[in-house]
């Protein structure tokens, strides 16, 4: 596997990102009339050397004479060692002679130009070279740019240079998350999913050296791969073992006491300060803190200790022998028991005792496993549950596996728990969770229903309420909205005791409201706290968050939906669960679509389908359907068909199909694609038939009629839509109804009002379509002046929508004859982007880019890329 840039070829081509501010400050300090130099300081690997090169290159462009030297520990004891090749002197020359000769030769070479000396790792400069550099700077012969680690500011060569007040210091901090993401994307030359970017940020903490080495290892080992054009790293750990040597160099030489103290912190982090004070000598801990190897952090009212960088802990743990690790955990368990910090500590004590192969009371294991599960540490909950040899242990392991998305593994444990637990209500809830796990995780809806039916036959009557959660979940996604609402009413009065089941149904009521034409009520449930965002099951947490975003989106509150989708997405990235990130990427893609940002929408939806490959299968269907819908909007009809075929193939993998709302959503997309392919009559027939099957779901009925009113405007359809929206609480649905009436009446004033309202709310995709429709209506009425004004307004909206043009509207005739997509691709090609880069930027296939370019060449009368810029400029000028 290879990638462009410095990720595979060392520093060659390594993108320069996130350092513009520091570069400008360094250049300003270096070129100031009274300035004599600049000192670049920061941690190892933070990018000081690369910044130094950029500053020196700037000096070269300004016609300065530039000398570059790199100081190393090996030459530290050799006088003028680092400058030996530049100062060819007889062995018996005195230091004074060397100084005078160096100064003379520099002035001769400079010939009146400025001289800039760049020194990488100034702290390793030998004393003689440091003295020479100090004299040259003080005498005004040279200006200096030097890099040094923050921990080495007191080294003699650095101190000598800092004595000059005209030498400024510029601190080089780690990259922030956005800069890190940009660096990775530019280095790999294509889109990277947010889960991978988040993980790379966490392990590198913005250190470019660690980041580069991690990515290079991922490419070399095959962990970092491209899927469907998106870079992703699906492995559980992004800390390759190849980084160990690099980290150990960074850690430096540790005394035995320091090494063991760091091991305690690495195995316990984040550790209560009281625990570390019991296990580590205070003076040793202070030395580690001063060197940046450990640090204190505050979490609520607690003070915790952790390693100075996540990779430090990873390397230290990996290099700790098994016997020593057992001893460390035993000591940590005993010390934490003495601290007595509460239930959280009880769980950790039990885990450490297990890892040290010490006996642990079964009741303590059960309490600790349950606590870990409720604190969304399903991995620890599983590990502890496996030590419990009973039906309760199976229950703990099964629930923990469900929370991790390991549905196939979970089924056997849940089946045994459902059969062997002593409490009938527990057996009932185990059966319910097993059914939901089969339905959502195992993609086996028919078997899920069979499990529920068997439970109804075999469980005692008083325990049957425990099955309600599964019945509601299956009914809601299986098309029985009426049954789901009826069961939901009973479920509200008899909520599940199990936190995972409670999590699973947390969003079901707002979900049902959302599809019953009441997105406003669903939003209020979130606003008032009637719906808790769950913690225990990350995928269900993300599903609940996505429901919140969708409720806002269909309530006409797009700006709030966009803001919340971003916050929720960042939350999912921080938790590091792939399908949760994919779900929120899906929400961001839908928001971007409505806002007219089609390129961004496809980028987010692309990420969603990459990460949601194994997510809960009704959600996977929604993701693929949305991808196909937006692709059809952009005119990428072959891609839309491919995605719909993939959706059908995915359904064939299960033992049944989801049906219901999910199936209808896919059929809406199919109807839209059919219309985009030039078969509007077939599309309208599909929508009428679909409308007849969607009566239980008011929102789906509204969506069917909304699309039908745009494909074939009529008073009858507009009246149907008005009737369907009458009992809805969404202002957006009201605008859809107004739009249907305006289209049916070919009323330019009404169309313009709808377009204005949509634009004000941020729904630019439909707003642009309404304005174009108003322009066409004015033209048909002979009001050319108004039509021209609306055409100009449509052009402005089109610019805000990245050149998107509504596929249902007749395209304007451009002066150069190019479609918006062709123009977009030509502009990128004319600025030096190759076909692969254009494809990555616009989320297209390379073949699609090639086809668009060939059509554009014919229209513009050019033979290739060389004539693009001139041809486009000439057509525009004409």
């Amino acid at each position: 596997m290879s990638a462009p840039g410095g990720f595979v070829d060392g520093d060659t081509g390594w993108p320069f990102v996130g350092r513009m501010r520091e570069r400008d400050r360094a250049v300003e300090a270096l070129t100031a009339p009274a300035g004599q130099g600049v000192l670049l300081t920061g941690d190892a690997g933070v990018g000081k050397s690369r910044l130094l090169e950029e500053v020196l290159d700037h000096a070269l462009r300004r016609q300065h004479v530039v000398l570059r030297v790199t100081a190393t520990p090996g030459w530290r004891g050799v006088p003028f060692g680092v400058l030996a090749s530049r100062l060819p002197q007889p062995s018996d020359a005195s230091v004074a002679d060397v100084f005078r000769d160096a100064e003379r030769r520099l002035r001769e070479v400079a010939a009146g130009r400025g001289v800039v000396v760049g020194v990488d790792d100034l702290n390793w400069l030998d004393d003689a070279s440091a003295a020479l550099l100090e004299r040259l700077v003080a005498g005004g012969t040279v200006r200096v740019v030097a890099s040094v680690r923050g921990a080495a500011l007191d080294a003699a060569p650095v101190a000598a240079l800092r004595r000059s007040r005209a030498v400024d210091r510029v601190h080089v901090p780690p990259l922030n998350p956005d800069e890190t993401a940009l660096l990775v994307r530019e280095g790999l030359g294509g889109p990277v999913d947010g889960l991978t970017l988040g993980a790379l940020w966490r392990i590198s903490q913005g250190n470019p050296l660690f980041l580069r080495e991690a990515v290079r290892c991922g490419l070399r080992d095959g962990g970092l791969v491209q899927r469907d054009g998106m870079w992703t790293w699906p492995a559980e750990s992004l800390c390759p073992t190849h980084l160990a040597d690099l980290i150990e160099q960074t850690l430096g030489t540790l005394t035995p006491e320091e090494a063991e103290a760091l091991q305690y912190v690495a195995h316990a982090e984040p550790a209560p300060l009281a625990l570390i004070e019991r296990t580590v000598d205070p003076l040793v801990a202070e030395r580690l803190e001063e060197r940046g190897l450990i640090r204190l952090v505050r979490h609520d009212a607690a003070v915790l200790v952790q390693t100075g960088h996540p990779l430090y802990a990873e390397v230290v743990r990996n290099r700790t022998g098994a016997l020593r690790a057992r001893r460390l955990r035993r000591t940590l368990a005993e010390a934490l028991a003495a601290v007595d910090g509460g239930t959280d500590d009880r769980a950790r004590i039990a885990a450490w005792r297990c890892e040290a192969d010490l006996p642990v009371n079964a009741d303590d294991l059960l309490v600790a496993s349950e606590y870990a599960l409720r604190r969304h540490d399903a991995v620890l909950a599983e590990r502890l549950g496996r030590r419990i040899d009973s039906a309760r242990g199976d229950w703990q392991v099964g629930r923990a596996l469900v929370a991790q998305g390991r549905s196939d593994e979970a089924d056997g444990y849940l089946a045994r728990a459902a059969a062997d637990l002593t409490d009938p209500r527990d057996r009932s809830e185990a059966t319910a969770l097993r059914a939901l796990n089969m339905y959502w995780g195992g993609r086996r809806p028919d078997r899920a229903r069979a499990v529920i039916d068997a439970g109804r036959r075999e469980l005692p009557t008083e325990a049957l309420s425990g099955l309600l959660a599964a019945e509601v979940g299956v009914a809601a996604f299986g098309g029985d909205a009426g049954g789901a609402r009826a069961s939901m009413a009973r479920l509200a009065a008899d909520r599940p005791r199990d936190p995972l089941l409670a999590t699973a149904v947390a969003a079901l009521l707002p979900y049902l409201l959302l599809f019953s034409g009441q997105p406003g009520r669903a939003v209020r449930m979130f606003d008032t706290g009637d719906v808790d965002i769950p913690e225990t099951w990350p995928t269900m947490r993300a599903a609940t968050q996505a429901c919140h975003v969708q409720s806002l989106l269909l309530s006409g509150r797009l700006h709030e939906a966009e803001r919340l989708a971003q916050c929720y997405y960042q939350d999912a990235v921080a938790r590091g669960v792939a399908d949760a990130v994919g779900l929120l990427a899906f929400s961001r893609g839908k928001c971007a679509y409505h806002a007219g940002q089609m390129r961004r929408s496809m980028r987010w939806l692309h990420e969603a389908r990459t990460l949601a490959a194994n997510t809960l299968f009704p959600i996977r269907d929604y993701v693929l359907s949305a991808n196909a819908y937006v692709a059809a909007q952009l005119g990428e009809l072959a891609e839309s068909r491919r995605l719909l075929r993939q959706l059908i193939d995915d359904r064939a993998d299960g033992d049944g199909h989801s049906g219901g709302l999910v199936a209808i959503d896919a059929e809406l997309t199919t109807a839209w694609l059919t219309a985009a392919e030039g078969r509007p009559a077939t599309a309208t027939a599909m929508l009428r038939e679909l409308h007849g099957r969607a009566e239980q779901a008011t929102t789906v009925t509204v969506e069917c009629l909304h699309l039908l009113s745009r494909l074939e405007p009529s008073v009858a359809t507009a009246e149907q839509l008005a009737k369907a929206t009458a009992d809805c609480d969404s202002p957006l649905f009201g605008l859809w109804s107004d739009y249907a009436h305006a289209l049916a009446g070919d009323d330019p004033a009404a169309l313009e009002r709808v377009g204005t309202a949509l634009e004000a709310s941020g729904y630019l995709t439909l707003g642009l379509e309404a304005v174009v429709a108003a322009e066409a209506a004015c033209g048909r009425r002979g009001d050319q002046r108004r039509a021209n004004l609306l055409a100009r307004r449509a052009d402005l909206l089109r610019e805000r929508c990245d050149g998107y043009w509504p596929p249902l509207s007749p395209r304007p005739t451009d002066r150069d004859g190019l479609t918006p997509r062709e123009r977009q691709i030509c502009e990128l090609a004319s600025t030096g982007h190759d076909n692969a880069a254009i494809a990555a930027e616009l989320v297209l296939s390379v073949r699609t880019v090639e086809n668009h370019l060939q059509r554009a060449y014919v229209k513009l009368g050019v033979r290739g890329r060389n004539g693009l810029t001139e041809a486009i400029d000439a057509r525009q000028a004409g």
Side-chain angles (χ1 to χ4, degrees):
M1 177 66 65
S2 62
F7 286 131
V8 291
D9 300 321
D11 286 331
T12 305
W14 177 250
F16 185 69
V17 169
R19 295 287 182 243
M20 300 305 178
R21 181 177 60 255
E22 288 79 15
R23 185 193 63 183
D24 292 345
R25 284 184 57 203
V27 167
E28 181 181 357
L30 186 65
T31 57
Q36 292 178 310
V38 62
L39 197 61
L40 307 176
T41 66
D43 296 334
V46 81
K48 302 183 298 299
S49 299
R50 179 60 192 275
L51 179 57
L52 175 68
E53 290 298 320
E54 289 289 325
V55 176
L56 293 178
D57 287 346
H58 180 272
L60 271 177
R61 291 193 295 270
R62 296 285 297 271
Q63 304 302 311
H64 292 300
V65 175
V66 173
L67 302 178
R68 293 178 170 91
V69 296
T70 300
T72 61
W75 286 95
R76 181 75 178 83
V78 181
F80 300 114
V82 74
L83 298 174
S85 62
R86 301 182 182 277
L87 300 171
Q89 294 293 324
S91 58
D92 60 348
S94 69
V95 172
D97 289 339
V98 172
F99 279 22
R100 281 192 295 271
D101 186 58
E103 193 167 7
R104 177 185 57 77
R105 291 180 61 205
L106 282 172
R107 293 187 186 279
E108 289 176 354
V109 170
R113 294 174 294 167
V115 179
V116 177
V117 178
V119 185
D120 205 6
D121 287 331
L122 175 66
N123 50 292
W124 293 120
L125 203 62
D126 63 89
D127 292 340
S129 296
L132 172 59
L133 185 62
E134 183 183 9
R135 169 169 172 161
L136 293 173
V137 170
T141 305
V142 304
R143 299 189 180 200
V144 66
V145 185
S147 70
V148 62
R149 295 188 187 186
L153 287 173
D154 293 332
V158 183
L161 192 61
R162 293 179 73 192
R163 283 194 286 267
S164 173
R165 293 184 178 180
V167 176
D168 290 345
R169 177 182 171 188
V170 174
H171 178 64
V172 185
L175 299 173
N176 65 34
D178 290 339
E179 293 164 344
T180 301
L182 179 60
L183 180 57
V184 175
R185 285 195 295 264
E186 290 197 5
L188 290 172
V192 186
D193 72 64
L195 184 71
T196 299
L197 292 173
L200 287 170
W201 158 252
R202 284 194 295 274
I203 68 167
S204 71
Q205 294 292 292
N207 184 299
L209 177 61
F210 294 167
L211 178 69
R212 184 185 67 192
E213 291 305 309
V215 173
R216 288 179 63 196
C217 290
L219 291 169
R220 184 168 58 243
D221 296 346
L224 180 59
V225 296
Q226 269 189 310
R227 287 183 177 175
D228 195 19
M230 174 81 61
W231 286 100
T232 185
W233 197 333
E236 292 183 3
S237 173
L238 300 191
C239 181
T241 55
H242 306 76
L243 282 173
D245 292 339
L246 179 64
I247 300 302
E248 287 183 344
Q249 293 173 17
T250 303
L251 294 176
T253 303
L254 299 176
T255 66
E257 294 79 13
E258 290 171 339
E260 183 164 78
L262 193 57
Q263 287 174 338
Y264 275 118
V265 176
H267 283 82
E269 71 171 1
L273 179 58
L275 171 63
I276 297 303
E277 289 175 337
R278 281 181 172 270
T279 53
V280 174
D281 183 289
L283 294 177
V284 174
E286 289 171 10
R287 290 202 299 270
L288 292 177
E289 184 186 19
E290 288 167 359
R291 293 178 57 181
L293 300 181
I294 66 173
R295 59 193 177 100
L296 300 182
V297 295
R298 287 197 172 274
H299 181 70
D300 298 329
V303 178
L304 305 175
V305 183
Q306 62 187 45
T307 52
H309 193 285
L311 288 180
Y312 297 171
E314 189 83 15
V315 170
V316 169
R317 287 193 294 264
N318 289 343
R319 292 298 178 95
T320 304
L323 290 175
R324 175 168 290 188
R326 285 162 56 95
R327 177 176 62 81
L328 291 171
R329 289 166 183 149
R330 187 183 306 117
T331 304
L332 286 168
E334 293 170 354
L336 190 56
V339 170
D340 190 22
T343 309
D344 192 4
D345 289 351
R346 188 176 177 184
R348 300 186 77 183
I349 291 167
W352 284 337
R353 289 183 64 84
C354 288
E355 290 164 353
D357 288 329
L358 295 173
V360 185
N361 180 279
D363 289 339
D364 287 342
L365 281 171
L366 185 59
V367 170
S369 177
E370 183 68 18
Y371 182 74
L373 186 62
R374 291 175 185 267
R375 291 292 298 269
H376 57 271
D377 191 347
V379 174
L380 177 57
E382 177 199 349
R383 196 161 71 240
L384 295 171
R386 289 185 183 278
R387 297 288 294 262
I388 306 171
D389 186 17
S390 67
R392 180 61 64 178
D394 288 336
W395 180 225
Q396 291 299 121
V397 175
R399 296 156 73 221
L401 290 171
V402 167
Q404 294 174 64
R406 295 156 61 185
S407 57
D408 290 341
E409 295 175 67
D411 186 63
Y413 289 95
L414 295 175
R416 288 194 294 274
D420 299 337
L421 286 168
T422 56
D423 186 327
R425 178 62 182 252
D426 287 344
R427 293 204 308 275
S428 181
E429 293 200 351
T431 301
L433 185 59
R434 184 184 179 210
L436 286 177
N437 180 57
M438 279 185 176
Y439 187 90
W440 285 335
R443 307 179 64 82
R444 292 173 288 181
D446 291 346
R447 287 192 61 190
R449 294 184 182 97
V451 167
I452 294 173
D453 291 342
R456 285 215 155 270
R457 291 192 303 269
E458 298 165 6
L459 288 164
T461 303
E462 66 271 15
L464 292 180
S465 60
L467 294 174
L468 283 172
E471 292 170 347
V472 173
V474 171
F477 284 96
D480 184 8
R485 283 192 289 269
S487 295
M488 196 76 219
R490 289 183 290 140
L491 184 63
D494 193 358
R495 293 182 177 275
R497 298 186 306 194
D498 176 61
L500 250 68
L501 274 183
T503 293
V505 300
L508 283 179
L509 181 54
Y511 176 83
L512 290 170
L513 288 173
L514 178 62
F515 283 96
S516 300
Q518 303 296 313
R521 281 183 61 195
V523 170
R524 285 193 294 277
M525 288 189 68
F526 286 99
D527 290 345
T528 59
D530 290 337
V531 179
D532 291 327
I533 303 297
E535 292 280 352
T536 308
W537 190 348
T539 303
M540 282 301 168
R541 175 182 177 84
T544 305
Q545 292 169 330
C547 182
H548 191 185
V549 173
Q550 182 70 358
S551 300
L552 286 166
L553 195 59
L554 291 185
S555 296
R557 295 161 65 176
L558 174 58
H559 298 306
E560 293 176 68
E562 288 180 304
R563 177 186 57 78
L564 204 60
Q566 181 178 2
C567 292
Y568 283 157
Y569 175 84
Q570 292 167 346
D571 172 71
V573 168
R575 291 168 185 267
V577 178
D579 52 3
V581 177
L583 261 171
L584 274 308
F586 170 61
S587 293
R588 297 193 74 175
K590 296 197 76 171
C591 289
Y593 161 74
H594 283 284
Q597 304 302 309
M598 293 297 175
R599 192 189 312 175
R600 283 177 51 218
S601 178
M602 284 300 291
R603 156 69 183 81
W604 287 117
L605 293 174
H606 186 187
E607 177 173 329
R609 74 173 188 262
T610 300
L611 291 178
N614 299 310
T615 192
L616 311 182
F617 89 99
I619 296 169
R620 171 71 173 167
D621 285 2
Y622 278 132
V623 170
L624 286 172
S625 178
N627 269 264
Y629 188 87
V630 177
Q633 284 268 14
L634 288 169
E636 308 298 339
L637 305 186
E639 176 69 0
S640 182
R641 284 191 295 271
R642 182 185 74 82
L643 291 166
L644 284 172
R645 282 196 301 270
Q646 185 177 342
L647 190 156
I648 294 169
D649 291 344
D650 281 0
R651 287 180 181 170
D653 291 340
D655 63 9
H657 60 82
S658 55
L661 302 180
V662 181
I664 290 175
D665 186 76
E667 291 180 64
L668 275 171
T669 296
T670 304
W672 179 268
L673 173 61
T674 302
E677 289 174 328
R679 295 181 290 152
T682 304
T684 55
M686 292 172 64
L687 288 169
R688 288 195 180 93
E689 191 274 333
L690 188 58
H691 168 238
R693 291 190 283 113
E695 291 184 353
Q696 285 193 61
T698 304
T699 298
V700 179
T701 298
V702 169
E703 289 177 328
C704 285
L705 292 171
H706 171 53
L707 183 51
L708 184 60
S709 71
R710 293 156 64 198
L711 288 177
E712 190 178 76
S714 71
V715 173
T717 301
E719 290 298 331
Q720 282 184 298
L721 183 53
K723 182 179 179 181
T725 59
D727 295 326
C728 296
D729 65 0
S730 168
L732 180 62
F733 293 173
L735 285 175
W736 289 358
S737 178
D738 292 343
Y739 186 34
H741 280 99
L743 285 171
D746 198 32
D747 184 342
L751 288 166
E752 186 176 357
R753 282 195 300 273
V754 171
T756 300
L758 288 166
E759 182 182 357
S761 300
Y763 293 80
L764 300 188
T765 302
L766 191 59
L768 172 59
E769 183 183 307
V771 170
V772 172
E775 174 199 347
C778 283
R780 285 188 288 272
R781 295 188 178 210
D783 189 353
Q784 197 57 48
R785 178 178 173 279
R786 191 65 192 163
N788 290 339
L789 290 174
L790 288 168
R792 176 56 183 156
R793 182 174 165 191
D795 285 341
L796 294 174
L797 277 173
R798 183 181 178 187
E799 289 177 10
R800 293 173 63 187
C801 294
D802 295 331
Y804 164 76
W805 189 258
L808 299 180
S809 305
R811 288 186 176 273
T813 303
D814 292 335
R815 292 181 186 178
D816 52 24
L818 299 179
T819 67
R821 180 64 91 185
E822 288 167 352
R823 180 187 293 278
Q824 193 176 37
I825 289 173
C826 285
E827 288 172 354
L828 289 171
S830 68
T831 56
H833 289 65
D834 61 22
N835 289 357
I838 296 171
E841 172 75 13
L842 301 181
V843 199
L844 302 173
S845 69
V846 174
R847 175 62 61 85
T848 298
V849 171
E850 292 171 351
N851 290 339
H852 279 304
L853 278 174
Q854 290 302 322
R855 287 194 292 269
Y857 294 158
V858 173
K859 292 178 180 180
L860 294 172
V862 299
R863 294 186 176 182
R865 289 171 177 264
N866 293 337
L868 276 178
T869 303
E870 294 80 0
I872 292 173
D873 290 345
R875 294 294 180 99
Q876 289 176 336

